[in-house]
Amino acid sequence: MRARIDRRVLLRAALVLVVAAIAITVVLTLAGPAGATAEVDVTSEPGTNRVAQNFFNGVVFGLLLALASVGLSLIYGTTGLSNFAHGEQVSLGAMLAYFLATQQPVSIPLIPVEFTIGLPLWLAAIIAIVLAGGSGWLQDRFLWSKLRKRRVGVVQQMIVSIGLSLALLNFLQWWIGPDRVRLSRAIEERHQIGPIQLGSITAMSIVISVVVLLGVGYFLMRTRLGRATRAVSDNPALAAASGIKVDAIIRLVWVMAASLAALGGILMALYDSGTKFDVGARLLLLMFAAVTLGGLGQPFGALVGSLVIGIVVETSTLWLGPDLKYATALGILILVLLVRPQGILGRAERVG
Amino acid sequence: MDLLFDLLREAIAPTTAAFALAAIGLNFHFGLTGLLNMGQAGFMLLGMYGYAITVREGGPIWLGIIVAIACAAVFGVILGWPTLKLRGDYLAIVTIAAAEMIRYLGRSQNLNDLTGASTGIRGNDFKGSFEELSPFPDSMVTIGPFTFHGTRSTSWWLVLVGWTLVGLMVLLYWRLSKSPWGRVLKGIREDEDAVRSLGKNVYSYKMQALVIGGVIGALAGIVWSLGASVQPDSMGRPTTFWVWTLLLLGGAATVFGPVLGSILFWCSLVLVKGLASAFIPTTVLSSQQLEPFSLALVGVTLMCLVIFRPQGVLGDKKELAFND
């Protein structure tokens, strides 16, 4: 397990960014004059440097994305599963928070009673995260651990996760409805700091995500359980032989991943000032891009990858219309697999 | 009784034929070769765009079909080039990402003149030349218990063409899977290293399978678009997942699996919706909630299929396509 991010890694990340910029410019020239209109429709207030602002937005988006993708990476590392239902865990967090916090009447599927819960947002968020963590526990207890016990192949498990994703996505739409919902009606105060604007809610999201990510890092590097998690990630058989309860660790990873994803979903809903039942489904591929970019199964790689993806997604809107920003990130994913399939932080033996 | 007619009507509808075609393509990928193509909707969308744009700009039908096939083939080569040497789930992630990228590009405002952005291309812009070829009269035609329009959109003409194509592709799959070429592909599915040690170029065989399956996917896209219109958002990830579900339902690596799966899939969707709207009161399940409810069931079906009966209805447990 390599923890330090050495200079070569940063160089590679920079290289990827440069290549991405070139790719974007090529697409832009192909797209022709339509690209120029994209410049105009982003309104910026005086005193705000758009490049700095977009870069900063990218860092924020990257941090929030990292919350979700660290869990995806941990699950991949410990079980080998590419979990396609992870996006729905993000949506689930946001939807649960909305369900608990909204002043609108809500209902539970198949029960024709409407009621209002209307908890304060912070309490709703905490309960939502706990419930989402519980959903991770339930999933592992009743689905994934059974499949592992039956020695079902990883590919089969992946298709099961696709089925789960389809089921959860439509369940959420059935439950909350197809409309965009808001977690908080509060209007964000905006402050001018140097060349960028920063809203108060965004600032809080940054603090929360940085603290949580540092916490995850501390857990993985310094605590016994975290070391055990990394051991399982490196070599499950060897970890089991040295007395680590592999199944318990994997269950812990599922709970952690689901709660982190829920937190990511809630913060993302605040940052975007709105959320929808398919928010996670749209983020899923960005998460995969981040995780693959950083190196499949490397939790710190997921962090680096998320930041790169976040920055690329947001700064690409300077050249391209905002409707192409996700496409750029996916293009980078394909490019990375072409030149360095093990990712920035990955080791070659993971590929093959 | 009405429900029964609806079911039978759905069984022969062009949509069912289109999905059967897409599943046959996927069967070349997954059933025969063991490739995890999670971007079949991307191939379909490219086929649609290739055909619809060519015909809209005044090209003849045969040119449209060639353009569609060429687009899908090039897309397959580009996808396969970096990923076919890597482990299976890389191909899955790349194909799903690439398919989504096609969709994002298609609905992007930057390409509005070419693809019509998120509204897509209207059916009237490209269907004309196909509908002119119809031997059926230009009015509603009733054959047996079913009534379709003779030529327009979801028509007898499209039913005929769609199912003829399905028949041809089933024949192609049957011949190819029995051929020496097909046996090499099955060998790759079972044990890549063994095939490589026999001196076969595994990479090239996988690429051929990917391209052939993708081209069939593009044909499926054309059939779909002739029944509806070109709409990028109708070819999102759920579409790929449906194709997977119905392939696994019918039985991967079987000749008739994709066709049977497609018919079963669409009929059971109609059945679930029909039964739910008949027996569950609207206070419990409103008509707006019916769609997500039945699609959630599709997801659960996919999970149960993979866990309990991975060989599907027609499949042979010994010839199971899952391996890492």
Side-chain angles (χ1 to χ4, degrees):
Chain A
M1 184 74 200
R2 21 190 302 193
R4 254 179 290 124
I5 298 169
D6 56 27
R7 218 181 322 151
R8 287 201 345 258
V9 169
L10 289 178
L11 251 172
R12 276 185 212 125
L15 187 80
V16 170
L17 268 178
V18 170
V19 173
I22 294 170
I24 290 164
T25 325
V26 169
V27 173
L28 172 79
T29 40
L30 286 180
T37 52
E39 295 277 343
V40 193
D41 56 18
V42 184
T43 50
S44 59
E45 285 169 32
T48 307
N49 182 331
R50 279 193 49 218
V51 178
Q53 179 72 50
N54 280 27
F55 188 82
F56 176 74
N57 286 352
V59 173
V60 178
F61 184 64
L63 280 174
L64 300 185
L65 191 66
L67 281 177
S69 44
V70 164
L72 188 66
S73 180
L74 278 173
I75 290 174
Y76 183 87
T78 47
T79 64
L81 167 69
S82 312
N83 180 20
F84 276 75
H86 202 68
E88 273 62 41
Q89 294 291 339
V90 176
S91 322
L92 181 70
M95 291 295 125
L96 276 172
Y98 167 78
F99 179 72
L100 295 169
T102 182
Q103 302 295 332
Q104 314 280 334
V106 286
S107 66
I108 296 173
L110 293 182
I111 300 172
V113 184
E114 291 206 328
F115 49 89
T116 314
I117 300 176
L119 295 176
L121 184 59
W122 61 270
L123 187 61
I126 290 172
I127 296 178
I129 292 167
V130 171
L131 285 178
S135 80
W137 188 88
L138 283 176
Q139 260 182 59
D140 189 56
R141 172 73 182 75
F142 293 105
L143 180 62
W144 304 112
S145 68
K146 302 273 180 210
L147 292 185
R148 281 196 301 276
K149 210 156 280 167
R150 285 174 55 174
R151 300 194 179 281
V152 173
V154 214
V155 170
Q156 243 163 313
Q157 288 189 30
M158 186 178 90
I159 299 176
V160 172
S161 82
I162 287 175
L164 183 65
S165 139
L166 208 55
L168 272 176
L169 176 74
N170 286 292
F171 173 75
L172 287 175
Q173 186 185 355
W174 172 20
W175 181 21
I176 303 289
D179 303 320
R180 200 174 160 81
V181 295
R182 294 192 62 165
L183 284 189
S184 151
R185 300 236 153 255
I187 293 167
E188 214 178 2
E189 280 176 60
R190 302 189 76 86
H191 307 285
Q192 188 82 29
I193 302 171
I196 55 170
Q197 276 193 344
L198 175 63
S200 47
I201 297 178
T202 311
M204 212 167 63
S205 304
I206 298 175
V207 173
I208 294 176
S209 53
V210 167
V211 167
V212 170
L213 286 171
L214 283 177
V216 173
Y218 179 82
F219 167 79
L220 285 175
M221 301 310 296
R222 290 274 181 268
T223 61
R224 280 181 70 86
L225 268 179
R227 285 204 197 99
T229 309
R230 277 165 35 213
V232 173
S233 191
D234 261 6
N235 188 336
L238 194 58
S242 40
I244 295 170
K245 284 186 189 139
V246 174
D247 272 329
I249 293 290
I250 291 177
R251 185 132 330 145
L252 176 76
V253 162
W254 270 100
V255 173
M256 249 173 67
S259 346
L260 283 173
L263 176 65
I266 294 168
L267 292 181
M268 197 79 83
L270 291 173
Y271 171 69
D272 275 347
S273 66
T275 186
K276 219 176 145 185
F277 71 96
D278 66 345
V279 56
R282 273 183 284 136
L283 284 180
L284 178 74
L285 286 174
L286 293 192
M287 288 190 250
F288 268 123
V291 169
T292 318
L293 191 60
L296 276 171
Q298 304 263 353
F300 296 100
L303 176 61
V304 178
S306 301
L307 284 175
V308 173
I309 291 290
I311 292 168
V312 167
V313 163
E314 290 292 337
T315 48
S316 74
T317 54
L318 288 174
W319 293 281
L320 294 167
D323 49 359
L324 270 184
K325 61 184 185 182
Y326 286 177
T328 333
L330 300 181
I332 289 178
L333 167 65
I334 295 172
L335 216 64
V336 166
L337 286 179
L338 191 65
V339 288
R340 193 176 159 78
Q342 67 269 42
I344 305 174
L345 292 184
R347 287 158 301 172
E349 71 257 36
R350 289 242 181 225
V351 186
Chain B
M1 209 54 207
D2 280 350
L3 190 60
L4 194 66
F5 276 133
D6 281 350
L7 283 182
L8 289 172
R9 192 175 189 278
E10 191 67 26
I12 62 161
T15 319
T16 312
F19 270 81
L21 273 176
I24 294 171
L26 192 63
N27 207 10
F28 271 100
H29 296 150
F30 179 69
L32 211 51
T33 327
L35 299 174
L36 290 167
N37 172 21
M38 288 288 162
Q40 191 68 340
F43 284 101
M44 292 167 79
L45 188 58
L46 266 180
M48 284 183 192
Y49 274 139
Y51 177 81
I53 291 172
T54 311
V55 172
R56 186 188 59 186
E57 302 302 331
I61 289 180
W62 58 266
L63 187 66
I65 293 174
I66 287 176
V67 169
I69 288 175
C71 284
V74 169
F75 185 58
V77 170
I78 293 175
L79 279 185
W81 174 39
T83 48
L84 287 180
K85 283 179 179 159
L86 302 174
R87 200 182 38 202
D89 43 355
Y90 278 99
L91 182 71
I93 295 176
V94 167
T95 43
I96 197 172
E100 286 291 278
M101 229 174 102
I102 299 277
R103 189 168 67 88
Y104 281 128
L105 281 174
R107 52 172 303 171
S108 153
Q109 284 298 331
N110 293 358
L111 298 175
N112 196 1
D113 297 339
L114 197 61
T115 60
S118 57
T119 44
I121 301 169
R122 282 181 307 131
N124 292 345
D125 289 345
F126 65 93
K127 282 185 198 165
S129 54
F130 172 77
E131 284 165 359
E132 273 167 22
L133 291 180
S134 167
F136 293 97
D138 190 8
S139 60
M140 298 306 277
V141 178
T142 306
I143 300 179
F146 310 113
T147 307
F148 286 110
H149 197 276
T151 53
R152 303 266 175 77
S153 289
T154 310
S155 59
W156 283 111
W157 173 223
L158 189 58
V159 168
L160 182 72
V161 171
W163 285 105
T164 311
L165 262 177
V166 170
L168 285 177
M169 290 306 149
V170 166
L171 202 66
L172 181 75
Y173 178 86
W174 179 63
R175 286 311 306 158
L176 282 180
S177 66
K178 290 272 178 281
S179 71
W181 183 81
R183 286 201 294 274
V184 173
L185 290 187
K186 282 182 191 166
I188 292 173
R189 183 188 74 199
E190 298 302 328
D191 189 343
E192 209 179 304
D193 293 330
V195 175
R196 195 171 284 130
S197 70
L198 290 174
K200 302 286 184 193
N201 185 348
V202 169
Y203 182 64
S204 148
Y205 274 97
K206 278 182 172 179
M207 185 70 96
Q208 290 161 21
L210 186 67
V211 168
I212 290 180
V215 164
I216 298 176
L219 294 178
I222 298 177
V223 172
W224 165 280
S225 70
L226 287 172
S229 65
V230 179
Q231 229 290 322
D233 286 339
S234 65
M235 289 291 131
R237 264 175 299 160
T239 311
T240 303
F241 297 163
W242 296 347
V243 176
W244 271 89
T245 310
L246 59 88
L247 175 64
L248 292 174
L249 183 66
T254 59
V255 175
F256 290 105
V259 183
L260 181 72
S262 183
I263 293 174
L264 281 179
F265 179 87
W266 289 104
C267 287
S268 37
L269 264 187
V270 169
L271 187 69
V272 166
K273 279 184 205 167
L275 289 180
S277 63
F279 293 110
I280 301 177
T282 48
T283 47
V284 179
L285 197 67
S286 72
S287 55
Q288 198 196 354
Q289 291 171 326
L290 209 55
E291 183 81 20
F293 168 74
S294 45
L295 291 180
L297 283 185
V298 173
V300 175
T301 312
L302 177 57
M303 285 165 72
C304 293
L305 266 177
V306 177
I307 298 172
F308 298 113
R309 202 178 160 80
Q311 72 271 38
V313 177
L314 294 178
D316 172 7
K317 186 124 196 180
K318 268 182 283 176
E319 204 182 9
L320 232 166
F322 292 112
N323 67 328
D324 310 329

